Amino acid sequence: MVRSALVAPLLVCLLSSVAVAQSPTPSILIARQLAEAQQISVGAIVRLASKADGSDAREFVVAGIYEPTPDPARLGSIPNEVRLHLPDLLALTREAGEIAGAEHVSSINVALVHPSEASTFAADVNARLPGVLAMTAANAAGSAGPFLVIERFHRAIAIVTIAAATVFLLALTIMLVDERRETVGVLRLIGLPSRRILTQVLIEGLLVAAAGTMFGLVLAALSQQLINAFFQWRYDTALVFVRITREVALTATAIAVPLGTAATVIASWALLRRNALRLARR
Amino acid sequence: MKAVGFAWRTLVRQPARAVLAVLGVAAAGALLLDMLLLSNGLVASMRDLLERTGWDVRVTRTGDAPRRGPRITSVAATLEAMSALSGVRSAVAVRAVDAAVETAAHTPLVSLLQGASGGAPPPWTVLRGTDARERGEVVLNESASAALEAEPGREVTVRASCATGDEALPPVQLRITGIAAFPFEIAREHMLGATLDTLAVVCGGGEAADQADIILVQSTGDPSAAAAAITAMRPDLRAVTNDDMVGRLEQNEFTYFRQISTVLTTVTLSFAVLLITVLITVSVNQRLGEIAALRALGFSRSRVVADVLAESALIVALGGLASLPLGMLMARWLDGILKGIPGIPAAMHFFVYEESTLALHIALLATTALVAALYPMRIVSRLPIAATLRDEVTE
């Protein structure tokens, strides 16, 4: 059932980097941000120590440079990290007098052959291994908590923005409809019923709202690239900040089109209730 | 003033559109105010919180947040040496450990037990009862008191976790002497406070009483000098002032809110400028004949331009006034949402009112009124009187 296991990396103290070498020296991977900051390239020899004073440092060869998995909970902090093979890490951090094999690891990531059995597997581990807490990846993603709150915050901002936009839209449509009062008056005088004019206004409002929504979605799609590029540069992360998904586009459309259409109809309705002669009168 | 009166009559003549325009500006202005409050709110709140505690220098081993770095050892000797420094008025060492609190009627309550050294006021404020100054005494925060249904005079059993998660320390009975407020307590967090001696007992004795996560220092008036003196005395310790801490938070942890605030402020202002421009432009276009007639009657070009500017200013001013209470209400609502972020002290706020923020809000709205009026003002100033009147008659 268990296919692979990977132990979470431990941040250790980077002491120095020296010339390129080919030797049985244990290998490590180094985070891109750290490699850039310290100008370390693949093949370089670095010395790592788990103690702040640098005692008991060991040499490692940089086998590769990796992009750290974006972590929303660590946004703003520079991931000065290296990844070691587990035996090398344990050897580096083992306290004097500690027996090899008695060390702790903080977590074990498990990839299942059948991911759908994650809950059953976690329950099985919890029942069989007291003192070990197994969680599905979805449950373990508690670190995303702050970002769920920020999502709620953004939703609240969106509600206020929609409210402000609706009020402005209504004001604008009232003015635009008022500009056409004479046309509407003449149409009614030549015999077109109010219902017919309202239908025409409804279709017109629908078309304008649909066109506006399309324009808004294209603008959002273009601006998402800009926003992501800016924040990824600002925080030096691969994290995606804005993503216009199909659901987001559908939600925006579901709000914008009826809202735009309704604003046009409401503004026109007030006009159509007036006397046709008064509307046509100059 | 004449222009303002004229603009007022223009607005009153079309009450529906005027009210909607003002409401739109009020909503946009409220959002703008909130974004301005947010841009510096968390930093201002943190500064206020740090200053309210009365401690102006914080000493740790590595500069990391308490419990994230190694502990300070030989605390008693360190405190004695610090107290001898001329720039130090008082100092208190604090250590925190995880603790499970048990009572006869309840399942263990996960909480944080803080131990503070004597000789200086503890880093909490007693609300009811008395402080825990003797060994075996403890104070609870309101949250722990409510969860345990425990009041001063009762006893609680505490099992602490002081070194690693694997240890099994014996339970210790502690007597509750009071209910206290902890400045950095997180919403719904259960906290206990005791002396370092009591914490040492809970931690099974040994050197626990001589270790601390942080030493809080009150300077005699110059925190920077006190921090420098402490660092000179103990180069292995990091002493930071409140200003240093706020500066660090400003540059790292809280930058996201400043960025998002800047983005939303820009979007809100652009949105407001665009919509007010459209509203006034359409309004002006509908009144071109009327404006041309006024010009023909003797109104100067600058006067009709001033009328348009006054109309924009009136809409923005009325909307801006309405935006203040609306913005403050919204700020409370949004603050409540954001305080759901784990680890945020209950006393901290994301939206903090400052006079400078209000001044900036007014300045931005005034600029909005001016910029939004530029295009319609241009239309009015270039209006050909005779041609416009002729068009109006022949249409």
Side-chain angles (χ1 to χ4, degrees), chain B residues 60-198:
Chain B
T60 54
R61 271 282 298 278
T62 59
D64 289 322
R67 303 190 75 204
R68 288 191 184 169
R71 282 191 289 271
I72 301 168
T73 51
S74 307
V75 165
T78 307
L79 282 176
E80 195 177 334
M82 270 185 198
S83 301
L85 294 171
S86 59
V88 173
R89 178 169 292 147
S90 63
V92 61
V94 182
R95 184 180 170 191
V97 298
D98 294 320
V101 187
E102 297 171 1
T103 60
H106 294 86
T107 51
L109 188 76
V110 176
S111 55
L112 192 72
L113 170 61
Q114 275 192 6
S117 61
W124 54 77
T125 308
V126 177
L127 303 174
R128 300 194 299 278
T130 57
D131 196 11
R133 303 310 296 167
E134 301 296 329
R135 183 177 289 193
E137 293 181 344
V138 70
V139 292
L140 271 58
N141 71 346
E142 292 279 16
S143 174
S145 168
L148 293 165
E149 296 174 10
E151 284 295 319
R154 292 266 308 276
E155 286 201 336
V156 286
T157 305
V158 176
R159 284 176 191 271
S161 175
C162 301
T164 68
D166 300 338
E167 63 195 339
L169 292 169
V172 176
Q173 293 274 355
L174 299 177
R175 192 173 67 83
I176 303 167
T177 59
I179 308 299
F182 294 74
F184 288 94
E185 69 183 51
I186 296 162
R188 293 180 295 281
E189 186 184 28
H190 309 305
M191 294 190 75
L192 288 76
T195 61
L196 267 182
D197 283 345
T198 304

Side-chain angles (χ1 to χ4, degrees), chain A residues 104 149 167 175 179 234-235, chain B residues 20 166 256 259 279 286:
Chain A
H104 290 84
V149 174
V167 172
M175 294 172 87
E179 269 194 333
R234 174 66 184 78
Y235 294 115
Chain B
L20 285 172
D166 300 338
Y256 178 79
Q259 303 282 348
L279 285 178
Q286 286 178 347

Side-chain angles (χ1 to χ4, degrees), chain B residues 282-373:
Chain B
V282 173
S283 169
V284 162
N285 279 335
Q286 286 178 347
R287 293 186 288 121
L288 285 181
E290 179 187 312
I291 294 166
L294 289 172
R295 289 292 316 278
L297 285 172
F299 274 52
S300 66
R301 178 178 283 131
S302 58
R303 171 62 204 277
V304 289
V305 167
D307 288 343
V308 173
L309 180 61
E311 189 180 340
S312 172
L314 264 180
I315 291 173
V316 174
L318 292 172
L321 268 178
S323 77
L324 296 178
L326 191 63
M328 296 312 284
L329 280 174
M330 263 173 57
R332 285 187 68 179
W333 173 46
L334 295 173
D335 197 53
I337 292 174
L338 284 180
K339 281 174 83 172
I341 293 177
I344 297 291
M348 275 187 72
H349 297 282
F350 287 81
F351 299 83
V352 175
Y353 172 79
E354 291 176 300
E355 283 182 7
S356 58
T357 308
L358 181 63
L360 183 60
H361 181 242
I362 292 169
L364 286 173
L365 284 181
T367 310
T368 303
L370 180 65
V371 173

